[in-house]
Amino acid sequence: MSVYTQLTDDQFAAFCQSFGVSFARAIPITQGIKNSNWFIQTTDDVDGEHSYVFTLFEERPPADIEKMAVILNQLNGKLPVAAPLAVIELDAAKTDNDKRYVIHYEDKAITLVPCLAGTHPEHTTQAMCHEIGAALALLHETLQALQPSEQYGVPLYPWADVRDRERQFMPSDEAKLMSDIWRAYTDLPLATLPKGLCHLDMFADNTLWHLQKGESRLTGLLDFTEVSSEHYVMDIAITINDFCTTWGDAEQGESVNFDRSKMAAFLQGYESKRLLGDDEKRALPVMLAKAAVIFWLLRLNVIHYNRTEGRTGDNIMVKNPDLMKRLAAYHWSHVEKAQNTVFVLEHALYKDDDKNNDVEDYKLIGVFATEQQAQTAMSQLKMQPGFKDYPNGFHIDAYPLGQINWSQGFNFY
């Protein structure tokens, strides 16, 4: 991530020695926006190689990073994560339960973790979306062992405060978009949605992959600094938003193209490890919009923080907030469309259950707010007397509210 704090080689050598690592060289990592990171080349590495990542956490208190170390150790062996090295203790009487994974520098935490193999993907595929979906579900399942989850996760950031500050300076249409999405989120049945420890920053650039000859394999999950107790469907939405969106570069006009087929692959992968509840499925469209709003605010907040702290220079990278605003608008348009559409479930009794034959009976079964509700009703009825003998007669039609769906007259001749 961006390098904010500068350290000397002597400082790097002393810190690395605390972890039992022989320092040779520190190489700045400039991607990202929150912490200071370097690759560490050891005296055993050949030129061009590095074995560890050295992170100085600019904002998170050391206690939060200690919690992160516990989380990574819980996942180690089940998912490709880099667990922090333990500090070398001179007291031989100390046990594994006394291990420390964090050292301090000016009230900031420092960790050293092994480098993971692989590269950040420039583009994602449906297969990668399926695999990251399964990995996220396994992460959610595995971390359920750490209870209570609030004790291990860091507090959620007060995004409502950032919203209220930034909304004062927004054009009215942007402020309305943000307010509408936020209101829809608060109207969700949040108390019924499953929650637990979530990553909350699973972007493609926080993953590593082995990419060769058109095949991909997940080799690393990175950046666990934001792990909090949150609704699983929010973590799903955050991950979908990046993995299933193609972000055009400046030469392409910084386009934002969301791929719903990739989202379907992600959800298939996720549900191969953990099934989503009906409430989660209904909440997902709004969560996708809310997740985009959160990262819209995050990027605005970084700009605000850099400005107030006087941070400048080539090592400071700021991501464009407008991209997340456009993604939020895209998702919200689908929510609004769904809110203005009803789904009608009907059953036509065709002779011999053949749709090419005449209709002998017709039943209007129900009108539903979502297609999922209509599908659920259809599944329940298919095994009922009569219906089970004519399963091909069911059909679901979507009707926009307030529109005439038959615009011409008719006659019998």
Side-chain angles (χ1 to χ4, degrees), residues 18-315:
S18 297
F19 293 107
V21 170
S22 178
F23 170 80
R25 183 185 175 207
I27 305 162
I29 304 173
T30 58
Q31 293 86 0
I33 57 178
K34 293 180 185 175
N35 301 314
S36 296
N37 285 281
W38 296 263
F39 288 122
I40 296 297
Q41 187 179 91
T42 73
T43 55
D44 295 325
D45 290 327
V46 300
D47 273 348
E49 292 185 356
H50 37 263
S51 297
Y52 299 96
V53 173
F54 182 109
T55 300
L56 190 151
F57 295 90
E58 299 288 351
E59 298 178 25
R60 293 291 190 194
D64 287 353
I65 308 308
E66 289 283 3
K67 294 177 183 179
M68 181 190 72
V70 174
I71 288 168
L72 285 164
N73 282 326
Q74 183 69 25
L75 294 172
N76 200 24
K78 297 180 181 179
L79 286 167
V81 298
L85 299 186
V87 177
I88 301 299
E89 302 286 1
L90 298 179
D91 185 355
K94 289 196 173 184
T95 67
D96 286 348
N97 293 331
D98 299 320
K99 281 186 177 180
R100 293 188 301 120
Y101 301 94
V102 173
I103 54 180
H104 298 183
Y105 173 71
E106 296 182 351
D107 296 325
K108 297 178 181 180
I110 289 174
T111 62
L112 195 66
V113 304
C115 286
L116 297 173
T119 57
H120 300 297
E122 294 184 6
H123 306 285
T124 63
T125 64
Q126 287 189 28
M128 293 169 71
C129 291
H130 186 282
E131 188 170 354
I132 197 65
L136 189 67
L138 183 57
L139 181 149
H140 291 163
E141 292 278 274
T142 301
L143 293 184
Q144 287 179 12
L146 300 179
Q147 295 294 334
S149 60
E150 292 79 6
Q151 179 178 318
Y152 292 91
V154 299
L156 291 169
Y157 198 83
W159 292 115
D161 295 345
V162 182
R163 175 202 63 192
D164 294 343
R165 183 192 70 216
E166 294 295 335
R167 201 163 47 183
Q168 303 175 61
F169 309 104
M170 289 180 178
S172 59
D173 59 333
E174 293 184 7
K176 183 178 185 305
L177 172 65
M178 185 173 289
S179 297
D180 287 347
I181 293 172
W182 208 284
R183 187 179 305 109
Y185 167 77
T186 57
D187 287 342
L188 293 172
L190 297 174
T192 69
L193 296 176
K195 65 187 306 185
L197 289 171
C198 295
H199 187 279
L200 300 180
D201 196 18
M202 195 69 79
F203 275 40
D205 62 6
N206 275 331
T207 64
L208 297 171
W209 300 78
H210 175 73
L211 304 170
Q212 191 172 22
K213 297 180 180 178
E215 296 184 356
S216 59
R217 177 172 53 85
L218 180 65
T219 59
L221 301 176
L222 310 175
D223 197 350
F224 283 75
T225 58
E226 303 297 331
V227 173
S228 300
S229 182
E230 177 60 293
H231 299 106
Y232 293 134
V233 68
M234 173 58 81
D235 209 14
I236 290 167
I238 289 171
T239 310
I240 285 175
N241 272 350
D242 192 60
F243 268 84
C244 302
T245 303
T246 300
W247 310 97
D249 58 26
E251 294 179 356
Q252 299 169 315
E254 292 193 306
S255 58
V256 178
N257 299 302
F258 189 79
D259 190 327
R260 304 193 80 82
S261 64
K262 287 184 179 180
M263 180 171 72
F266 175 96
L267 292 172
Q268 289 172 357
Y270 188 92
E271 292 206 276
S272 71
K273 302 295 183 181
R274 175 185 172 267
L275 293 177
L276 292 169
D278 289 341
D279 282 353
E280 290 179 294
K281 292 177 182 178
R282 286 190 288 269
L284 181 57
V286 172
M287 286 291 193
L288 289 166
K290 174 69 182 310
V293 165
I294 291 300
F295 279 82
W296 176 12
L297 288 171
L298 184 152
R299 294 177 180 186
L300 290 172
N301 200 43
V302 169
I303 293 172
H304 170 82
Y305 189 69
N306 287 344
R307 183 169 58 245
T308 57
E309 293 293 316
R311 291 178 167 182
T312 60
D314 293 338
N315 282 337

